[in-house]
Every structure is written in C-alpha cells, then in structure tokens.
Amino acid sequence: MSATLCSVCTATPPPESLAVKLADWSIADFTASPSLRRPAVDKILSQLTPRQREVAGRPLEEVAERLDFLLAVGSVI
C-alpha cells in the first residue's frame, strides 16, 4: 500500500460540506487541529441551540466518546 492523493477531491472537503456548520465550526475547522478535537466537541455542544442539539447532539457525543477511548489507549496525542 502507498499513500496517494485522490485526483478528484484533492484531499479537501467539497464546498457543500464546508457550508455545513455547527456553532460556526465546519468539518475542516474541526479536523484542522488534532490537539483541540476533544475540547472542540465540548465547545460545540455547549454552543448549540436546543434544535441543533436535538439534531446533532447524539452524534457529537458519540464522537466525544470515541475520542476519549482513543486518548485512553494512547492512539491520539
């Protein structure tokens, strides 16, 4: 196996994906800084409106749980 960039997506999310934001965070913002991912989830959760929390709250909590697991086993810095 070898690492290669996709010739179609060029390793960047499409504009449609970047337009979707939660608490002013796009997917690119969220993934840009590995050391801030877990705190970012908490920050996003704290800034959601009740409607946004109804839609995105559970998936974000699952992301937080998975990050906690990775941090516990030493897979994430």
Side-chain angles (χ1 to χ4, degrees):
M1 290 196 297
S2 64
T4 59
L5 290 177
C6 173
S7 62
V8 176
C9 68
T10 64
T12 58
E16 302 85 26
S17 296
L18 295 175
V20 177
K21 295 189 176 194
L22 280 174
D24 293 325
W25 287 71
S26 71
I27 189 68
D29 298 332
F30 182 76
T31 58
S33 181
S35 62
L36 297 177
R37 287 183 189 158
R38 180 56 171 103
V41 174
D42 294 333
K43 184 175 182 179
I44 291 169
L45 282 168
S46 72
Q47 294 176 346
L48 296 180
T49 66
R51 173 70 177 136
Q52 290 172 327
R53 189 150 178 87
E54 181 181 333
V55 173
R58 185 62 196 145
L60 281 172
E61 289 169 5
E62 288 183 23
V63 167
E65 290 171 11
R66 291 174 189 210
L67 286 172
D68 287 341
F69 172 77
L70 292 173
L71 287 166
V73 298
S75 296
V76 177
I77 298 173

